[in-house]
Amino acid sequence: MKFTEEHEWLRPEDDEENVVTVGITEHAAEQLGDLVFVELPEEGTTIAREDEVVVIESVKAASDIMAPCDGEIIEVNTALEENPSLVNEDPLGAGWFFKMRVADMSDLDAMMDEAAYKKFI
């Protein structure tokens, strides 16, 4: 699993080449407070690093989740539309946002591993 400075996590999928699942960290979920709304991207959307791909609203504020790298959205977690609190309850599991096919997996090499992320926060 890799982490960004924007408190996103990326988990490469073992069974699908160049596919990662993306969500936000427990730290980010705690900082945001209870989520009340999640707007997910369309499947099939081509995205570039730092594009705004997800809009989330919490009891504290609205925030954007940025694309961690270039690629294509191949699946979204539609369960979040009915139950945004999944992000608070299980940010590293059931609270994932989307799966994407990454254009260049070497982009993940520059991201933090878990130990580096723990030092970062």
Side-chain angles (χ1 to χ4, degrees):
M1 186 176 283
K2 293 291 191 171
F3 298 86
T4 70
E5 291 183 358
E6 292 75 31
H7 307 285
E8 298 167 343
W9 55 262
L10 292 83
R11 183 180 53 234
E13 295 298 316
D14 292 335
D15 56 341
E16 295 182 77
E17 191 172 334
N18 292 359
V19 173
V20 297
T21 302
V22 179
I24 60 171
T25 66
E26 189 173 321
H27 173 77
E30 288 173 5
Q31 295 296 311
L32 289 166
D34 294 335
L35 294 192
V36 295
F37 176 77
V38 175
E39 182 180 320
L40 298 166
E42 295 284 326
E43 292 180 5
T45 303
T46 300
I47 56 174
R49 185 173 184 273
E50 298 188 4
D51 280 354
E52 298 171 3
V53 289
V54 176
V55 177
I56 54 177
E57 291 182 23
S58 71
V59 293
K60 293 181 179 177
S63 302
D64 295 318
I65 303 298
M66 313 305 264
C69 40
D70 298 344
E72 178 186 1
I73 302 292
I74 61 169
E75 184 178 347
V76 297
N77 186 1
T78 56
L80 297 179
E81 293 170 344
E82 302 251 340
N83 188 6
S85 65
L86 286 173
V87 176
N88 298 106
E89 295 165 8
D90 190 11
L92 300 178
W96 61 278
F97 289 116
F98 58 88
K99 293 183 180 185
M100 66 179 293
R101 187 171 311 281
V102 177
D104 184 354
M105 287 296 281
S106 68
D107 288 350
L108 277 64
D109 295 342
M111 296 177 187
M112 294 178 277
D113 61 16
E114 186 172 356
Y117 179 72
K118 285 183 176 177
K119 287 182 184 176
F120 176 72
I121 58 173

